[in-house]
Amino acid sequence: MAMARTVRDRLLEALDDLTEGELQRFKAKLRDFPVPEGGYSHIPRGRLEKADPVALADLLFQFYTEAHAPRMAAGVLEAIGCKPQAERLLLGATGNDACSKAPLPFMSASAVGNRMQATVPREQHFIDQHREALIQRTATVEGILDMLYGTILDDEQYQAISAKTTSQEKMRELYKLVPSWNRDCKDRLYKAIKMKNKFLIDDLEGQP
């Protein structure tokens, strides 16, 4: 019995179907395409330029999650004139494998952007809202880095941050990565800071 294709399989199939020129146009348009509010941001240009279809699919899922990556990719495909690939991608790409049998209606690039803007909460994440306070007042940074290592931070990032001298310098270096993180990554940072600096988080949240 054949295994059902996952959302990631559909995305990779769509990207693999592009010519080299179309893939480059996809990357360029992706940099200008509207992203969901509420903790999402554009993929850094340097990481996009080096990405092959497999790495690009991984980046889309990392930055926009399974809930948004397929529709966002489909909107970009439609915008660069690759509507057949966009339609095949959205056919069943619900973001939930259990529901993947029901095809989705095709949406234009502008409609995809508007849908994401309308459905994602607009509130600013705690990590963004309290950026300066967390940089200045976080005392135990090493433990935070250890909790993030291997899931959010790779070895190069971990070493670069650890090499800084003071806690403030380490937090500032860590925050250089935050704009490229999705909400899940920020949630993990919040939990790590709360575990290692509970009283600071309680104070910022106005808790006794």
Side-chain angles (χ1 to χ4, degrees):
M1 181 177 180
M3 294 182 61
R5 287 187 301 164
T6 65
V7 177
R8 188 184 184 283
D9 291 336
R10 293 181 182 276
L11 176 57
L12 183 55
E13 183 181 88
L15 296 175
D16 270 334
D17 195 40
L18 301 179
T19 66
E20 183 61 32
E22 289 169 340
L23 186 63
Q24 294 307 314
R25 292 203 304 275
F26 180 95
K27 295 177 184 179
K29 175 57 68 174
L30 185 61
R31 286 288 304 166
D32 301 325
F33 202 79
V35 300
E37 294 182 2
Y40 296 89
S41 60
H42 285 105
I43 301 171
R45 188 183 305 276
R47 298 182 68 178
L48 269 181
E49 290 176 349
K50 301 174 184 177
D52 60 13
V54 174
L56 184 55
D58 289 340
L59 285 171
L60 285 162
F61 270 80
Q62 176 185 343
F63 277 79
Y64 307 119
T65 74
E66 189 173 323
H68 299 293
R71 283 193 174 92
M72 187 166 183
V76 175
L77 287 167
E78 191 259 352
I80 65 171
C82 297
K83 189 171 181 178
Q85 291 91 332
E87 291 176 332
R88 289 197 299 272
L89 171 58
L90 284 183
L91 183 63
T94 64
N96 184 331
D97 289 343
C99 305
S100 61
K101 294 181 180 179
L104 296 177
F106 181 76
M107 292 186 291
S108 66
S110 59
V112 171
N114 291 338
R115 174 70 63 85
M116 290 191 298
Q117 297 288 351
T119 58
V120 178
R122 295 175 177 272
E123 68 270 12
Q124 190 177 34
H125 196 283
F126 181 92
I127 291 300
D128 298 314
Q129 183 180 356
H130 297 285
R131 179 181 184 277
E132 282 305 314
L134 291 172
I135 288 175
Q136 296 300 324
R137 298 172 58 187
T138 300
T140 306
V141 181
E142 291 78 8
I144 295 169
L145 300 180
D146 289 341
M147 291 182 67
L148 301 179
Y149 179 70
T151 55
I152 296 178
L153 300 179
D154 59 28
D155 186 67
E156 181 179 352
Q157 293 166 335
Y158 179 88
Q159 296 298 334
I161 297 169
S162 298
K164 298 300 180 180
T165 305
T166 67
S167 294
Q168 288 77 19
E169 289 174 341
K170 290 176 182 178
M171 285 298 292
R172 199 171 295 279
E173 187 72 15
L174 177 60
Y175 258 95
K176 290 181 181 179
L177 305 175
V178 171
S180 68
W181 290 357
N182 60 29
R183 196 170 190 84
D184 178 65
C185 292
K186 293 179 182 181
D187 286 344
R188 294 190 186 194
L189 175 57
Y190 167 82
K191 292 175 182 177
I193 296 175
K194 187 167 186 175
M195 181 170 292
K196 299 299 181 180
N197 296 264
K198 181 179 185 301
F199 294 114
L200 171 58
I201 298 297
D202 286 350
D203 182 57
L204 293 176
E205 290 181 333
Q207 298 178 4

